[in-house]
Amino acid sequence: MKKTYAVIFIILGLSLMAIIFRFSSQNNVDTNLLSRNITEKIASVVFPGYESFSNSVKAVMLNDLNNFIRKTAHFALFFSMSAVFYAFFTVMTKMYLISGALSVAVNFIYAVIDEYHQSFVPGRTPLLKDVFIDTVGAVFGVIFCFMIIASIKLILSKRKKQTMGRNDNSVL
């Protein structure tokens, strides 16, 4: 079973890496068009009456919102990838802190490689700020996993105490 989970988690992690690589391989025109389309759809849902706004107001909103969406995507992808690699390392080692450190390290290294890769893509620029956002996303992914594990352990501990309490009463 351990091997099955490890294989699933490594496949998910490598899939996320491939998705990130694919996005990073897009030139500046394609990536901006994609993110602008997504941003416009989000703006039309989030801001009532968006369609009736003037083009100049839409342009300012889209510019600011687009940057936020792009950076949030960095954070979310690396948050997810970190959680998956954390799960992989935890399945393999059963050492939570070491798994967290390894997951963040893998994500940081991949963030650096991703930005370096972008230096070869026309119109793209590697940014240290993106490595920082990616790494923060990875750290939060690990923290999220720690919180999930701590919650599960707390619930199981309470159930065990309740079960033991019932068993103690039945002896009397």
Side-chain angles (χ1 to χ4, degrees):
M1 192 66 146
K2 175 181 169 178
K3 186 176 181 179
T4 302
Y5 284 128
V7 169
I8 290 169
F9 290 132
I10 202 71
I11 288 171
L12 287 172
L14 293 173
S15 296
L16 286 167
M17 288 176 147
I19 289 167
I20 292 167
F21 184 85
R22 174 89 166 93
F23 283 136
S24 294
S25 297
Q26 294 178 325
N27 65 40
N28 63 325
V29 173
D30 291 341
T31 191
N32 281 325
L33 183 62
L34 175 65
S35 65
R36 280 270 210 226
N37 287 338
I38 292 169
T39 302
E40 189 143 20
K41 287 177 182 166
I42 291 170
S44 66
V45 170
V46 172
F47 300 108
Y50 172 78
E51 300 303 326
S52 65
F53 293 172
S54 71
N55 286 339
S56 60
V57 170
K58 283 183 185 178
V60 170
M61 285 177 66
L62 283 179
N63 192 43
D64 291 342
L65 189 57
N66 187 47
N67 190 45
F68 175 76
I69 300 284
R70 291 174 68 86
K71 299 312 172 188
T72 302
H74 270 266
F75 181 93
L77 282 167
F78 279 82
F79 177 102
S80 302
M81 191 166 72
S82 179
V84 167
F85 277 110
Y86 177 80
F88 169 75
F89 289 125
T90 300
V91 165
M92 297 303 292
T93 67
K94 297 290 186 215
M95 294 189 279
Y96 302 118
L97 288 175
I98 290 174
S99 295
L102 287 170
S103 178
V104 170
V106 165
N107 278 267
F108 170 75
I109 291 166
Y110 194 71
V112 170
I113 291 168
D114 178 54
E115 291 304 313
Y116 178 69
H117 164 242
Q118 286 184 31
S119 70
F120 299 102
V121 178
R124 299 294 296 267
T125 306
L127 298 172
L128 191 57
K129 174 174 70 171
D130 286 347
V131 172
F132 177 75
I133 292 168
D134 298 343
T135 305
V136 169
V139 169
F140 274 86
V142 167
I143 290 170
F144 178 75
C145 290
F146 283 154
M147 291 171 51
I148 297 284
I149 289 169
S151 298
I152 290 170
K153 286 185 173 234
L154 181 65
I155 290 167
L156 293 176
S157 172
K158 284 184 178 183
R159 283 187 183 165
K160 186 176 179 180
K161 285 180 184 178
Q162 288 173 349
T163 304
M164 288 176 62
R166 281 189 225 137
N167 290 341
D168 290 344
N169 291 337
S170 62
V171 173
L172 298 173

